[in-house]
Amino acid sequence: MLTSNGYGSFLQEIVLLVAARDHVAVCRQLGIAPERCRADTPWVELIYNRRSSHRKDDECVVLDLRIELGELFETIDWQIDWDASKY
């Protein structure tokens, strides 16, 4: 369930899976801390919070990440866990 801020937008929690070797750069760029390492995988889980006035707007999520990550967007190993995300 998305949390509303009462002004027509929702706080989204996007679960990013970032390769362990790349997570420090992503945390620094986005100003967030890692949540946890995924057991038996090379992934570190990060929670990227954003506000949106539309639910299930995955295109805007990716666009915002492209802007905020800058050149990291194309150079690191990462993915979005859409099933675990609230958007």
Side-chain angles (χ1 to χ4, degrees):
M1 175 78 46
L2 290 178
T3 304
S4 173
N5 73 350
Y7 296 100
S9 69
F10 301 93
L11 178 62
Q12 299 177 326
E13 293 181 4
I14 308 302
V15 178
L16 302 177
L17 302 178
V18 180
R21 69 179 179 275
D22 297 324
H23 87 277
V24 172
V26 173
C27 288
R28 190 175 308 130
Q29 185 74 17
L30 297 178
I32 58 178
E35 290 293 314
R36 63 180 163 264
C37 293
R38 290 249 173 136
D40 300 324
T41 72
W43 302 108
V44 175
E45 186 175 299
L46 310 175
I47 304 296
Y48 170 67
N49 291 303
R50 65 185 295 275
R51 294 213 177 267
S52 177
S53 57
H54 304 288
R55 295 176 188 220
K56 299 293 183 183
D57 189 0
D58 56 340
E59 290 178 9
C60 284
V61 170
V62 174
L63 178 62
D64 283 354
L65 280 168
R66 174 179 288 280
I67 291 166
E68 289 199 44
L69 287 173
E71 69 182 43
L72 289 176
F73 187 88
E74 298 290 338
T75 60
I76 60 168
D77 190 8
W78 70 283
Q79 60 184 302
I80 297 173
D81 185 342
W82 294 109
D83 292 333
S85 297
K86 298 174 190 170
Y87 66 105

